[in-house]
Amino acid sequence: MCVRSRTGCVIPELTVRVARASNPKGTTAIAIRDHLNGLWSDEDFEEWYPRDGKPGLSPAQLATVSVLQFLLELSDRQAAESVRNRIDFKYALGMELEDPGFHHSVLADVRERLAEEGRADKLLDLALEKIRAIGLVRERGRQRTDSTHVLAAVRDLTRLELVTEAMRAALEELARRAPHELVGLVTEDWGKRYGRAARLGRNPSKPKTRIKDTGEDIRLLLRYVHRYLPDLRDGEQVQALRQIFVQNYCTDAQDRPKWREAADAGLPPSAVAIVSPYDLSARYARRGETRWKGFLAHVTETCDPDTPSVITDVTTTKAAVHDTKALPGILANLDHRNLLSKEHFVDGG
């Protein structure tokens, strides 16, 4: 897919007439086009796509749809249906009324590209430049930062499930990278224990036996990889297994794996404890009655009484990092955008 430029795109006259007649008071989508002439142009996305290939959809349009989708709390399917059916969406995107829009699955592709290389921050910078140019946001005003929890895309695991799943993931990784190296190591018992995703529940059968066997299996695998497969030690899942093993096991006087117990003060605090072998940055946290495994999104917005609230920064951290700890990085981002505030309100945690 290559970029198809829409800079200076003129809204079709029929779309303008119908949009204004059907929405005399305007909508959020119409306001984006009227006041900002759109949030972005296709040239802002040139680095996202190759220069050759067949013409594709406008990335500026897709990014704008993603913003409207967030504002109006729409699913991907609902957002695509809105582009196809809503006149104000067609007006905001500069589309002909008969334009059928696009399949909802392309929005997921846009989000994947957006998550790479700090692209989201770059797009926010460009949008804020336009918003500041029309006077909706200014430097030395009032701003506030608050956070909301973000769930990690991982399954909720017990400690025993965590170590079992970490072992399975490491074996899968090694089998992909060096399938013949494990022939003499993997036994039929290992196939039964780690042949499928760990789903043991809160009360598994024979928990002490499972804990003992899994600990010995992990230690054996890690030593085998260290001694015979040094080129595979840097694997993501092997490294995750090593960290999860140390987090949940120690060794006794006979150098045997021993399950760490909270009563012995041997477990790490939740701020550093790994909760999934597939996302080592996710953390467990609790805020009031809300408990989750994932992250915190710290959202900063203007709060001047004479202007609308405008988001000026979004910073994502681990779940245990409350707003005051995230504030230095947030202020550095605002300084980069020339949007430092005179007063900044933040929750002390």
Side-chain angles (χ1 to χ4, degrees), residues 259-280:
W259 193 242
R260 293 184 184 271
E261 300 291 348
D264 301 330
L267 292 175
S270 59
V272 298
I274 297 170
V275 298
S276 170
Y278 303 109
D279 192 339
L280 301 187

Side-chain angles (χ1 to χ4, degrees), residues 158 160-161 199-208 210-211:
T158 65
L160 181 53
E161 286 177 326
R199 297 186 182 276
L200 305 177
R202 297 287 174 181
N203 299 298
S205 60
K206 301 180 180 179
K208 293 184 178 180
R210 291 179 184 272
I211 289 171

Side-chain angles (χ1 to χ4, degrees), residues 56-132:
L57 298 169
S58 163
Q61 287 184 339
L62 296 176
T64 301
V65 172
S66 296
V67 171
L68 292 170
Q69 176 184 5
F70 171 78
L71 289 173
L72 302 176
E73 299 183 354
L74 304 176
S75 67
D76 285 354
R77 290 180 183 274
Q78 291 170 331
E81 289 175 0
S82 295
V83 173
R84 183 170 61 253
N85 299 323
R86 287 182 55 163
I87 297 170
D88 60 336
F89 270 55
K90 293 185 184 295
Y91 179 91
L93 303 176
M95 299 170 63
E96 299 281 357
L97 290 179
E98 63 268 23
D99 194 314
F102 49 79
H103 193 268
H104 66 86
S105 61
V106 301
L107 293 172
D109 175 72
V110 170
R111 287 194 296 271
E112 288 180 4
R113 295 176 186 270
L114 188 64
E116 299 173 1
E117 303 174 0
R119 289 170 173 172
D121 286 335
K122 294 177 182 177
L123 289 188
L124 180 58
D125 290 344
L126 293 170
L128 285 173
E129 287 179 9
K130 289 191 173 185
I131 294 172
R132 183 168 50 190

Side-chain angles (χ1 to χ4, degrees), residues 36-304:
L36 302 174
N37 193 28
L39 295 172
W40 303 284
S41 66
D42 282 349
E43 280 71 13
D44 298 328
F45 300 81
E46 285 183 338
E47 297 179 356
W48 293 32
Y49 300 92
R51 294 184 178 274
D52 55 352
K54 63 181 182 179
L57 298 169
S58 163
Q61 287 184 339
L62 296 176
T64 301
V65 172
S66 296
V67 171
L68 292 170
Q69 176 184 5
F70 171 78
L71 289 173
L72 302 176
E73 299 183 354
L74 304 176
S75 67
D76 285 354
R77 290 180 183 274
Q78 291 170 331
E81 289 175 0
S82 295
V83 173
R84 183 170 61 253
N85 299 323
R86 287 182 55 163
I87 297 170
D88 60 336
F89 270 55
K90 293 185 184 295
Y91 179 91
L93 303 176
M95 299 170 63
E96 299 281 357
L97 290 179
E98 63 268 23
D99 194 314
F102 49 79
H103 193 268
H104 66 86
S105 61
V106 301
L107 293 172
D109 175 72
V110 170
R111 287 194 296 271
E112 288 180 4
R113 295 176 186 270
L114 188 64
E116 299 173 1
E117 303 174 0
R119 289 170 173 172
D121 286 335
K122 294 177 182 177
L123 289 188
L124 180 58
D125 290 344
L126 293 170
L128 285 173
E129 287 179 9
K130 289 191 173 185
I131 294 172
R132 183 168 50 190
I134 63 174
L136 292 182
V137 63
R138 60 179 181 267
E139 192 175 13
R140 311 309 298 173
R142 300 172 65 187
Q143 298 190 56
R144 62 189 173 202
T145 295
D146 201 358
S147 56
T148 184
H149 64 281
V150 179
L151 299 180
V154 297
R155 189 160 54 89
D156 192 17
L157 301 172
T158 65
R159 285 180 60 200
L160 181 53
E161 286 177 326
L162 174 62
V163 295
T164 304
E165 187 63 19
M167 178 68 172
R168 189 185 76 85
L171 287 171
E172 292 283 353
E173 180 181 73
L174 293 170
R176 290 192 301 269
R177 298 181 65 184
H180 302 295
E181 298 290 349
L182 300 178
V183 173
L185 181 66
V186 176
T187 64
E188 183 177 349
D189 287 340
W190 280 25
K192 294 178 180 178
R193 291 174 198 157
Y194 315 113
R196 62 185 63 185
R199 297 186 182 276
L200 305 177
R202 297 287 174 181
N203 299 298
S205 60
K206 301 180 180 179
K208 293 184 178 180
T209 300
R210 291 179 184 272
I211 289 171
K212 174 179 176 295
D213 291 343
T214 304
E216 292 176 349
D217 293 343
I218 293 175
R219 187 179 63 167
L220 176 60
L221 179 63
L222 291 175
R223 288 183 174 180
Y224 184 88
V225 172
H226 181 80
R227 179 175 298 180
Y228 300 109
L229 305 173
D231 294 339
L232 304 182
R233 286 181 295 185
D234 61 345
E236 182 178 353
Q237 296 303 328
V238 172
Q239 288 297 314
L241 177 63
R242 181 184 63 81
Q243 295 178 59
I244 290 171
F245 176 73
V246 172
Q247 174 179 305
N248 290 279
Y249 288 92
C250 57
T251 54
D252 59 18
Q254 286 74 40
D255 194 32
R256 295 174 301 190
K258 178 184 176 183
W259 193 242
R260 293 184 184 271
E261 300 291 348
D264 301 330
L267 292 175
S270 59
V272 298
I274 297 170
V275 298
S276 170
Y278 303 109
D279 192 339
L280 301 187
S281 60
R283 294 291 182 267
Y284 169 83
R286 180 176 62 185
R287 178 181 289 183
E289 296 184 356
T290 303
R291 296 172 172 80
W292 78 99
K293 293 179 179 179
F295 312 89
L296 271 179
H298 307 268
V299 180
T300 301
E301 64 179 1
T302 60
C303 55
D304 292 303

